[in-house]
């Protein structure tokens, strides 16, 4: 491998991988649906660049707590339990293991069995990867550009006219 330090290696991954498409629909109830990037999707996109640049991920759990079962709205006991963990996720230079970058993440996970601790570690690792490599996760390629019909230049010109709080208030009144 090369003599690159961990930050140069991270930069090389950032040059090779810039976007991870959200691949999972999540139903949060009451109109709270959204899309998310799964751990597997992120790994499938970033793994090759990490291997090519000699970066190993090493998650370390600092603490963890499994909370008691909570009550449902109807007063019955929920089968789901919340787990909270604190993690340090290291991105290690495989040629010099003492050379690493580290991200601290608190992660939560719900589960009705024994999988919550693993889910929390997976979430912490995924979050650290997205942040350290500065990966975009828009809905799709088109969502990464301004929607049609918006006069971006006009909006920017209006913003440029705001020079103090008084002019902001005057512009705001004109927009309402």
């Amino acid at each position: 491998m090369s003599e690159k330090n961990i930050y140069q290696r991270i930069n090389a991954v950032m040059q090779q991988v810039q976007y991870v498409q959200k691949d999972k629909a999540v139903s949060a109830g009451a109109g709270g649906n959204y899309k998310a990037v799964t751990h597997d999707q992120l790994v499938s996109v970033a793994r090759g660049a990490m291997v090519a640049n000699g970066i190993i991920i090493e998650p370390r759990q600092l603490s963890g707590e499994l909370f008691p079962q909570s009550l449902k709205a109807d007063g019955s006991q929920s089968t789901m339990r919340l787990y909270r963990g604190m993690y340090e996720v290291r991105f290690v230079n495989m040629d010099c293991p003492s050379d690493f970058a580290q991200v601290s993440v608190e992660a939560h996970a719900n589960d009705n069995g024994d999988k919550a601790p693993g889910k929390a570690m997976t979430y912490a690792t995924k979050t650290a990867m997205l942040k350290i490599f500065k990966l975009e996760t828009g809905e799709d390629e088109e969502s990464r550009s301004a929607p049609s019909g918006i006069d971006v230049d006009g909006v920017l010109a209006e913003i440029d006219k705001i020079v103090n709080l008084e002019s902001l208030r005057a512009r705001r009144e004109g927009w309402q």
Side-chain angles (χ1 to χ4, degrees):
M1 196 60 51
S2 71
E3 296 296 320
K4 290 181 180 178
N5 68 38
I6 191 61
Y7 296 105
Q8 292 166 322
R9 291 167 189 248
I10 288 169
N11 184 56
V13 171
M14 290 171 62
Q15 290 173 18
Q16 294 169 19
V17 181
Q18 298 166 10
Y19 176 71
V20 181
Q21 187 168 7
K22 293 180 180 182
D23 63 322
K24 181 176 182 181
V26 180
S27 176
N33 300 337
Y34 61 95
K35 289 190 85 172
V37 172
T38 62
H39 178 265
D40 287 349
Q41 172 75 357
L42 177 56
V43 169
S44 73
V45 170
R47 184 180 185 278
M50 291 176 56
V51 169
N53 290 287
I55 298 175
I56 305 297
I57 295 179
E58 182 181 293
R60 295 175 175 218
Q61 184 163 8
L62 303 176
S63 65
E65 180 178 6
L66 183 62
F67 291 88
Q69 291 174 317
S70 60
L71 295 179
K72 295 180 184 178
D74 66 4
S76 64
Q77 200 167 38
S78 171
T79 59
M80 298 295 275
R81 295 183 71 183
L82 176 67
Y83 182 83
R84 179 181 68 202
M86 278 299 300
Y87 303 88
E88 290 177 347
V89 182
R90 290 184 175 184
F91 296 81
V92 181
N93 176 344
M94 66 176 255
D95 295 321
C96 179
S98 63
D99 178 28
F100 61 87
Q102 182 170 289
V103 178
S104 296
V105 180
E106 179 175 332
H108 303 135
N110 277 317
D111 194 68
N112 59 4
D114 61 351
K115 294 174 186 64
K119 288 178 178 181
M121 182 177 281
T122 296
Y123 182 82
T125 303
K126 177 179 81 169
T127 300
M129 289 174 69
L130 288 169
K131 299 307 176 194
I132 205 155
F133 297 125
K134 307 294 185 265
L135 298 172
E136 294 181 45
T137 61
E139 293 287 332
D140 53 37
E141 290 295 325
E142 289 75 26
S143 72
R144 299 183 334 150
S145 61
S148 61
I150 293 179
D151 177 13
V152 175
D153 291 332
V155 171
L156 291 175
E158 288 294 317
I159 291 170
D160 286 341
K161 293 177 186 174
I162 299 169
V163 294
N164 57 32
L165 186 56
E166 197 172 296
S167 64
L168 173 62
R169 287 186 179 132
R171 291 271 171 225
R172 183 172 174 233
E173 289 173 10
W175 294 328
Q176 294 177 353

